[in-house]
Amino acid sequence: MAKIVNSWNDWDPLKRVIVGRCDNSMIPPEEPATSEKVPVDSEMRGMWGLRPLRTVERGNECLENLVKAVEERGVVVDRPTPLQWNQAIGTPDFRNDSMMTCMPPRDILLTVGNEIMASANSFRCRYFEYLAYWPLMKQYFDEDPEFLWTQAPRPRLTDASYKHNYYDEKITLEERLVRTANKDFVTTEVEPMWDAADLMRMGKDIFIQHGLTTNRTAMEWFQRYYPEYRIHAMNFPGDPYPIHIDATFVPLRPGLIINNPHRHPAEGQRDIFEANDWQIVDAAQPAHDEPPALCYSSVWLSMNCLVLDPSTVIVEASEVNQQEQMDQLGMNVIPVDLRDAYPFGGGLHCSTADVYREGECLDYFP
Ligand code: NVA
């Protein structure tokens, strides 16, 4: 039987990957932790329902572009099985009028070595999203005797998991930044809550963004779950909507990270990189002034790239500045048209989840 699951970081040679699907995607109804994360001027405020079919088809076309680009380079691609996301859901603790999507996989699945763990997301509408990946997990389980199929402790997501009255429509950008600087986020600490896209895996070290989607209790949980790894909290005080580390602090290869120029790490959090001679370079300006329509994310999806190996990277086709910078940094750049998939939850890195990268668990910060 073959080894199917193995990945310790975001840059070792990629051999197998999951790419999401846009089918049946919803704009979810408002719930305690979501309004905080939708920019005040977003056209999506107050809106919910099925995403327009044409945009779903176009999003799927973009994902097919990505599938084709990686398959041409010998990477095996697996796809989730979408559910009918417009169903209402309930648990003993909450009811929600719909689910959301199975985009992007990066938020739901965390691969560490031979283990894939489904996350403990703070959005109620994402509570059952992991089910779209269960057929793949079963397949890996049947075919790879070393594969560890794991589910993180499920959060209850009762009202106690959120700060109520945290969000107020009149809150200014400056006030938001003060909250980020004070590490004052909408989730409470009653249970571990985390999105997998807040974690950056670097062999023996795992860096976790503390923000609107991941709390400190999750970091404490990870440190106990993985006693042999070093867990580091990261904060980015320049980000008024701190969600997911992969449009903020993105490694390209050992020793090199591109950093969103508006979101530098909090004081002291660069030290471990500098002490080990890592270069942290400000990312190039995005090519666009605005995200596409009905998109939750910022223009900084420009830096949300998929590294295929330490010298090859896929960058979104319209992000010419980011492509040029990657080229200057010594990377071979493969452009892929993916922008119309952004509204479904993110860019190239978001749209994927690692299954297999060649390589082993190394200590990059001895
Ligand atoms: N908060 C991030 C999401 C990145 C995937 C952004 O929109 O910049």
Side-chain angles (χ1 to χ4, degrees), residues 60-353:
N60 275 335
E61 276 170 25
C62 287
L63 294 173
E64 291 302 330
N65 294 338
L66 174 59
V67 169
K68 186 162 173 285
V70 296
E71 281 183 344
E72 275 170 3
R73 284 156 186 89
V75 177
V76 175
V77 176
D78 293 325
R79 310 299 297 275
T81 306
L83 275 69
Q84 203 61 50
W85 302 115
N86 61 352
Q87 296 175 76
I89 54 166
T91 73
D93 293 308
F94 68 82
R95 296 269 180 280
N96 218 49
D97 284 335
S98 91
M99 295 176 276
M100 193 164 95
T101 180
C102 53
M103 266 290 286
R106 191 66 65 174
D107 299 355
I108 306 296
L109 301 177
L110 174 71
T111 311
V112 176
N114 62 341
E115 175 173 21
I116 300 182
M117 187 189 300
S119 53
N121 310 80
S122 59
F123 280 27
R124 290 172 174 172
C125 61
R126 305 195 78 174
Y127 197 80
F128 290 113
E129 206 168 310
Y130 71 97
L131 292 173
Y133 303 101
W134 252 218
L136 288 176
M137 296 303 112
K138 176 63 164 61
Q139 182 191 337
Y140 303 158
F141 187 76
D142 288 343
E143 293 175 10
D144 178 351
E146 289 173 26
F147 170 51
L148 291 179
W149 178 2
T150 315
Q151 168 70 66
R154 306 242 61 204
R156 294 189 69 170
L157 307 183
T158 69
D159 288 349
S161 297
Y162 312 101
K163 291 180 196 163
H164 298 276
N165 305 319
Y166 177 91
Y167 174 72
D168 165 357
E169 274 189 7
K170 292 186 210 73
I171 184 173
T172 62
L173 202 62
E174 289 67 32
E175 286 165 332
R176 277 182 179 271
L177 289 169
V178 170
R179 286 183 181 182
T180 306
N182 291 339
K183 302 177 186 169
D184 172 15
F185 302 116
V186 65
T187 41
T188 63
E189 299 292 342
V190 297
E191 56 187 348
M193 286 177 269
W194 56 278
D195 280 10
D198 279 317
L199 283 85
M200 181 175 69
R201 304 158 305 136
M202 293 188 155
K204 280 273 176 206
D205 293 80
I206 300 178
F207 296 84
I208 309 183
Q209 172 168 237
H210 176 211
L212 294 169
T213 38
T214 294
N215 64 7
R216 295 299 297 232
T217 309
M219 297 183 202
E220 175 61 27
W221 181 83
F222 271 112
Q223 191 60 82
R224 292 190 206 176
Y225 187 77
Y226 287 132
E228 67 277 30
Y229 301 87
R230 294 176 292 247
I231 305 294
H232 309 264
M234 293 208 77
N235 295 85
F236 300 95
D239 188 353
Y241 304 96
I243 304 169
H244 305 164
I245 198 163
D246 51 354
T248 296
F249 206 64
V250 174
L252 299 184
R253 58 180 183 244
L256 180 62
I257 289 176
I258 53 170
N259 186 189
N260 187 313
H262 300 292
R263 307 175 189 167
H264 289 134
E267 183 146 2
Q269 293 182 357
R270 292 171 65 106
D271 295 358
I272 182 171
F273 300 97
E274 286 169 352
N276 288 277
D277 297 323
W278 281 60
Q279 213 188 336
I280 302 177
V281 179
D282 275 353
Q285 278 301 309
H288 303 271
D289 295 331
E290 295 204 332
L294 301 181
C295 180
Y296 286 112
S297 307
S298 74
V299 292
W300 290 98
L301 289 182
S302 54
M303 53 188 290
N304 188 267
C305 57
L306 182 66
V307 176
L308 296 188
D309 64 55
S311 56
T312 314
V313 63
I314 304 185
V315 179
E316 207 287 318
S318 65
E319 295 296 347
V320 287
N321 304 336
Q322 192 55 73
Q323 289 172 31
E324 191 183 325
Q325 182 188 38
M326 296 286 196
D327 183 63
Q328 285 163 2
L329 290 169
M331 304 292 287
N332 298 314
V333 178
I334 302 165
V336 168
D337 170 16
L338 194 96
R339 186 168 158 81
D340 289 333
Y342 285 7
F344 295 87
L348 290 147
H349 188 257
C350 302
S351 302
T352 59

